[in-house]
Amino acid sequence: MTVFNLKKGQRAKITAVKADGSLKARLTSLGVTEGATVELISFSLFKSSVLIACAAVRVGLRKNTAQKIEVDV
């Protein structure tokens, strides 16, 4: 299951971040790392992006990026 598959308001634990290079570095610097708890705040219109909360940070992610973050409910 990925972050994009969560329902609005649902929390989960990140099990893997399947990103490379600068994307992985950017997510890590924002606190989106393995073992962190993430909450899906909302979807954009037409579900093209998501807003998540991880630690004390809210992050907007495109659909393809959100699908690279695997979670366990």
Side-chain angles (χ1 to χ4, degrees):
M1 176 181 243
T2 66
V3 168
F4 194 77
N5 300 117
L6 294 174
K7 295 181 177 146
K8 186 176 176 182
Q10 191 174 13
R11 291 180 181 220
K13 186 175 183 178
I14 298 174
T15 57
V17 178
K18 304 233 176 185
D20 297 335
S22 63
L23 176 59
K24 186 159 186 153
R26 189 176 314 125
L27 292 173
T28 301
S29 70
L30 292 169
V32 181
T33 59
E34 293 178 23
T37 301
V38 65
E39 179 183 359
L40 192 130
I41 304 295
S42 65
F43 286 98
S44 68
L45 193 61
F46 305 119
K47 288 192 171 185
S48 61
S49 61
V50 296
L51 178 65
I52 62 168
C54 189
V57 178
R58 287 189 174 192
V59 182
L61 302 172
R62 293 184 183 122
K63 180 179 179 179
N64 62 352
T65 303
Q67 290 174 330
K68 292 179 181 181
I69 303 170
E70 295 186 2
V71 295
D72 187 24
V73 179

